[in-house]
Amino acid sequence: MTTNNNDTAVQASIGIEDVSGCAARADAQVRAVLGRVMAQRRSVGTALDYVRGLAPGVRANCWWLAEAAEHESPYRMQALLGCYRWDWEDLRAELPALARAWLPCDEDDLTGPGIAVDETAQLKDGDATACVAPQHAGCTGHVENCLSAP
């Protein structure tokens, strides 16, 4: 049995206004989440610049992220990661609500929205391998000497 049917079931289009409005709403929600976790507006702005800088084709180091965010130097990005006062556990606690806002799912879906985060790391003995340092290893749940997974 062969069926040839060239009818279009649905036609969809996305206008520039829709995309820019969606991006603005996403930025506002991320800014609100960061505002609940960080004490200062400048910290929130730097963190939002950091998130925006994590675009395809941008190398994920402070120099490149600062350049993508049009900062003059990497110092604000480095300070965000090294000495700004914010609690990653508070931020992680905010993520499920943000995911539910953008990735809706059925009420009876036990796994939640279609997003999963796995903090894997490759455990290492010694320090001879480049980029090995004590850091949080998702596979053990502790700070271990490891190489982060790409």
Side-chain angles (χ1 to χ4, degrees):
M1 179 174 160
T2 303
T3 303
N4 285 332
N5 189 343
N6 295 327
D7 293 338
T8 301
V10 175
Q11 182 177 359
S13 66
I14 299 174
I16 296 297
E17 301 81 27
D18 296 337
V19 172
S20 63
C22 183
R25 286 191 311 275
D27 281 353
Q29 286 183 332
V30 170
R31 182 179 290 279
V33 167
L34 292 171
R36 289 191 291 273
V37 174
M38 299 180 155
Q40 297 181 5
R41 275 186 296 182
R42 182 175 175 182
S43 301
V44 172
T46 301
L48 193 57
D49 287 345
Y50 184 92
V51 171
R52 285 183 188 139
L54 293 173
V58 176
R59 293 184 184 172
N61 65 46
C62 289
W63 279 100
W64 287 86
L65 292 170
E67 185 175 296
E70 299 180 357
H71 294 194
E72 292 181 17
S73 71
Y75 303 129
R76 285 173 46 196
M77 296 294 180
Q78 291 169 342
L80 171 70
L81 299 176
C83 61
Y84 280 16
R85 295 186 65 193
W86 60 280
D87 189 350
W88 66 269
E89 290 174 330
D90 290 345
L91 179 59
R92 186 175 65 180
E94 295 276 348
L95 293 180
L98 189 60
R100 278 191 298 277
W102 287 94
L103 302 169
C105 62
D106 295 333
E107 289 183 23
D108 59 345
D109 184 354
L110 299 177
T111 60
I115 188 168
V117 177
D118 181 13
E119 300 170 348
T120 58
Q122 184 178 0
L123 300 179
K124 290 287 187 178
D125 292 327
D127 58 4
T129 305
C131 301
V132 171
Q135 52 192 312
H136 183 268
C139 55
T140 64
H142 301 286
V143 174
E144 306 267 354
N145 203 32
C146 60
L147 175 66
S148 293

